[in-house]
């Protein structure tokens, strides 16, 4: 039986889950895959942690050189994260002729061209299923399952932390700050939640997924990004009155106008399949020209779900003699002839606080008219003590730039009021 030696760089949450799956399922893979996958080495500064997980002392390496010079190691798993030593170690492993499996979205998003070049030069594999949407097999789906299609659109809830926060805000009617604190206390959000709540994590993933879906490099810099820190609980509850649920959506589209990639809070109709993806669950909703709609749903993070993606990559690499690389020209930047849509179109939810007196609506209407913005629905709430009223509008599909111009114009009008929130709506 073929024997494959694995090294794990980093025994944190995901590294620990990977170690657990590999050791507990070793016999199962011998039976079902006809391959004996053995953890030959781990690199972990915290030796106590490695020992507590059951790693034999002699398998704990002291440095990367020891790992990559070990002839029994065929596959190196990188679960350190970030783009510092992780990049250095992954390149060292590839250059030493080891196949690499990584969960590192930032690394893959920013340096896939460099890593893939090294892998191809050495004729070794480079696998990254765990970099996007944890245990949900979206990369394999894009690389294999839906290759028959032109993928025209992709919408995903691909960050569990923000989905947890928005779900709680919606269910309990509480504000962002309060929920973030609770999420940190429960270990759902990092002590510094910036990467998640400002949409960076989702944007790294969208850059990778849309490059695979649209067969062209979609650099991180092309992804429009907006996080959830400005979301007020009022917006979530007013949205509900229109039948909407708020999600941090990653949206990728490929049409004759070009490629459009964006991550931002978005209202979707409560009947949409993505609307019922709650808590820390993730989902990706794809549309292909032949297959039509496909939705994948599951856990986007966690020791065992992410470990599941890593170990599936290890099995793939162990049981295929040909390596699988990306299906696009993997350069640092986008190809010159690919157009990216900057001024995208959407429907919009706009919340204003306005003076409650004659002529105010007329002034607002004239601004919307000037920029070609058509209103679908509107509600006005009762006046507060200051005599001002919340006014909430939903627009027809319009250009982003028109909305921005209209908002600036309204905010500059004397005695009308101000725009408090603008949230895009999937119509
Ligand atoms: N921090 C991510 C999330 C998981 O909240 O979904 C890893 O990408």
């Amino acid at each position: 039986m073929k024997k494959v030696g694995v090294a794990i760089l980093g025994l944190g949450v995901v590294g620990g889950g990977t170690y657990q799956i590999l050791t507990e399922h070793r016999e199962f893979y011998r039976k079902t895959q006809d391959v004996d996958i053995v953890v030959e080495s781990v690199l972990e500064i915290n030796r106590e942690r490695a020992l507590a997980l059951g790693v034999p002392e002699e398998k704990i390496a002291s440095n990367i050189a020891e790992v990559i010079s070990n002839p029994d190691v065929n596959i190196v798993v990188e679960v350190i994260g970030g783009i510092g030593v992780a990049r250095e170690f992954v390149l060292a492993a590839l250059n030493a002729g080891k196949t690499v499996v990584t969960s590192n979205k930032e690394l893959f998003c920013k340096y896939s061209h460099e890593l893939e070049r090294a892998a191809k030069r050495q004729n070794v594999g480079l696998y990254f299923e765990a970099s996007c949407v944890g245990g949900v097999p979206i990369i394999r789906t894009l690389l294999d399952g839906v290759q028959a299609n032109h993928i025209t659109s992709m919408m995903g809830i691909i960050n569990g932390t923000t989905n947890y926060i928005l779900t709680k805000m919606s269910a309990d009617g509480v504000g962002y700050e309060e929920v973030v604190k609770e999420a940190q206390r429960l270990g759902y959000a990092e002590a510094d939640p910036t990467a998640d709540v400002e949409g960076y994590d989702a944007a790294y993933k969208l850059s990778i997924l849309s490059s695979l879906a649209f067969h062209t490099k979609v650099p991180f810099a092309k992804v429009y990004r907006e996080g959830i820190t400005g979301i007020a609980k009022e917006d979530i509850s007013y949205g509900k009155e229109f039948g909407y649920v708020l999600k941090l959506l990653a949206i990728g589209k490929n049409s004759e106008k070009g490629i459009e990639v964006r991550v931002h809070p978005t209202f979707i109709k409560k009947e949409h399949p993505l609307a019922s993806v709650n808590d820390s669950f993730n989902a990706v909703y794809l549309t292909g020209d032949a297959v039509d709609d496909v939705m994948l749903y599951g856990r986007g993070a966690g020791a065992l779900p992410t470990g599941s993606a890593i170990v599936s990559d290890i099995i793939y690499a162990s049981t295929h003699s040909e390596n699988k690389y990306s299906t696009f020209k993997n350069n640092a930047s986008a190809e010159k002839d690919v157009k990216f849509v900057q001024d995208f179109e959407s429907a919009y939810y706009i919340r204003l606080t306005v003076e409650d007196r004659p002529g105010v609506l007329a002034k607002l209407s004239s601004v919307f008219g000037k920029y070609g913005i058509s209103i679908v629905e509107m509600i006005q709430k009762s006046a507060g003590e200051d005599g001002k009223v919340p006014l909430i509008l939903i627009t027809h599909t319009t250009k982003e730039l028109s909305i921005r111009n209209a908002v600036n114009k309204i905010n500059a009008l004397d005695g009308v009021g101000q725009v408090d929130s603008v949230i895009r709506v999937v119509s």
Side-chain angles (χ1 to χ4, degrees), residues 108 112 116 126-129 131-132 137-144 146-152 154 204-219 254 259 261 286 324-330:
F108 203 79
S112 67
E116 196 172 272
L126 174 63
Y127 297 98
F128 51 98
E129 179 67 70
S131 66
C132 296
I138 180 65
I139 306 272
R140 184 78 56 229
T141 299
L142 289 171
L143 279 173
D144 290 330
V146 295
Q147 279 290 303
N149 294 262
H150 287 282
I151 303 293
T152 51
M154 184 162 54
Y204 294 142
K205 292 169 185 166
L206 182 61
S207 152
I208 297 171
L209 295 177
S210 50
S211 298
L212 292 169
F214 307 144
H215 303 285
T216 194
K217 178 79 172 196
V218 179
N254 190 14
I259 289 178
V261 270
L286 292 173
K324 183 120 191 169
Y325 301 114
S326 52
T327 53
F328 56 91
K329 212 168 172 187
N330 199 350

Side-chain angles (χ1 to χ4, degrees), residues 103 105 130-134 158-162 188 190 195-196 201 205 280 282 300-302 306:
S103 64
K105 71 211 74 115
S131 66
C132 296
V133 207
I158 57 178
N159 180 271
T161 306
T162 46
Y188 292 136
E190 307 270 347
D196 291 317
D201 176 86
K205 292 169 185 166
S280 62
N282 285 203
T306 310

Side-chain angles (χ1 to χ4, degrees), residues 42-103:
V42 303
L43 187 60
E44 168 58 49
I45 313 169
N46 185 344
R47 287 179 82 83
E48 295 311 312
R49 179 168 166 75
L51 292 170
L53 279 166
V55 181
E57 181 123 40
E58 69 278 9
K59 294 205 171 177
I60 307 175
S62 313
N63 53 56
I64 186 69
E66 205 181 304
V67 175
I68 61 174
S69 62
N70 184 339
D72 294 331
V73 170
N74 309 101
I75 298 177
V76 172
V77 174
E78 182 273 312
V79 277
I80 299 167
I83 52 173
V85 289
R87 179 180 172 206
E88 187 193 317
F89 289 0
V90 166
L91 277 172
L94 292 169
N95 288 331
K98 313 290 183 190
T99 281
V100 166
V101 172
T102 178
S103 64

Side-chain angles (χ1 to χ4, degrees), residues 10 198 220 323 377:
E198 294 294 2
F220 176 69
N323 302 308
E377 282 181 88

Side-chain angles (χ1 to χ4, degrees), residues 100-399:
V100 166
V101 172
T102 178
S103 64
N104 193 329
K105 71 211 74 115
E106 185 179 1
L107 180 67
F108 203 79
C109 167
K110 293 181 177 166
Y111 296 105
S112 67
H113 55 289
E114 180 185 58
L115 307 182
E116 196 172 272
R117 243 192 330 264
K120 284 181 171 170
R121 208 168 41 232
Q122 295 293 336
N123 192 25
V124 293
L126 174 63
Y127 297 98
F128 51 98
E129 179 67 70
S131 66
C132 296
V133 207
V136 177
I138 180 65
I139 306 272
R140 184 78 56 229
T141 299
L142 289 171
L143 279 173
D144 290 330
V146 295
Q147 279 290 303
N149 294 262
H150 287 282
I151 303 293
T152 51
S153 109
M154 184 162 54
M155 283 202 294
I157 295 169
I158 57 178
N159 180 271
T161 306
T162 46
N163 203 39
Y164 173 84
I165 293 169
L166 293 176
T167 303
K168 284 297 271 185
M169 284 175 74
S170 176
D172 301 348
V174 285
Y176 169 80
E177 294 296 340
E178 193 179 321
V179 180
V180 170
K181 283 200 186 97
E182 189 200 341
Q184 285 169 323
R185 202 172 53 246
L186 295 171
Y188 292 136
E190 307 270 347
D192 175 2
T194 311
D196 291 317
V197 299
E198 294 294 2
Y200 289 99
D201 176 86
Y204 294 142
K205 292 169 185 166
L206 182 61
S207 152
I208 297 171
L209 295 177
S210 50
S211 298
L212 292 169
F214 307 144
H215 303 285
T216 194
K217 178 79 172 196
V218 179
F220 176 69
K222 298 287 182 191
V223 180
Y224 175 81
R225 178 194 52 77
E226 218 176 84
I228 63 163
T229 49
I231 296 297
K233 61 183 177 191
E234 291 81 358
D235 291 318
I236 295 183
S237 67
Y238 291 142
K240 277 186 191 168
E241 294 185 32
F242 289 103
Y244 292 128
V245 175
L246 189 70
K247 297 290 178 189
L248 182 72
L249 278 199
I251 300 173
K253 291 185 185 174
N254 190 14
S255 68
E256 68 288 345
K257 290 186 212 152
I259 289 178
E260 184 178 321
V261 270
R262 45 196 169 100
V263 169
H264 50 65
T266 312
F267 275 125
I268 48 176
K269 275 282 178 202
K270 66 177 189 301
E271 295 78 18
H272 192 286
L274 288 172
S276 46
V277 176
N278 286 323
D279 300 314
S280 62
F281 278 91
N282 285 203
V284 181
Y285 189 93
L286 292 173
T287 306
D289 62 345
V291 71
D292 205 348
D293 296 337
V294 173
M295 182 158 134
L296 285 90
Y297 167 90
R299 294 204 176 272
L304 295 179
T306 310
S308 159
I310 290 171
V311 175
S312 297
D313 271 351
I314 293 172
I315 292 172
Y316 185 97
S318 305
T319 53
H320 288 73
S321 50
E322 291 283 310
N323 302 308
K324 183 120 191 169
Y325 301 114
S326 52
T327 53
F328 56 91
K329 212 168 172 187
N330 199 350
N331 291 327
S333 29
E335 300 226 30
K336 287 207 166 46
D337 58 345
V338 174
K339 273 201 313 201
F340 286 88
V341 178
Q342 306 293 335
D343 188 17
F344 54 83
E345 290 186 350
S346 177
Y348 291 81
Y349 159 106
I350 303 173
R351 174 165 63 89
L352 307 99
T353 304
V354 296
E355 306 285 338
D356 191 12
R357 57 175 175 71
V360 165
L361 268 187
K363 281 190 184 166
L364 291 175
S365 298
S366 91
V367 174
F368 288 127
K370 177 173 154 87
Y371 290 103
I373 298 164
S374 167
I375 308 298
V376 185
E377 282 181 88
M378 184 177 86
I379 49 175
Q380 180 177 320
K381 296 291 174 183
S382 45
E385 282 170 13
D386 57 0
K388 294 185 177 170
V389 287
L391 187 67
I392 300 105
L393 314 166
I394 307 289
T395 74
H396 278 290
T397 299
T398 186
K399 291 214 173 256

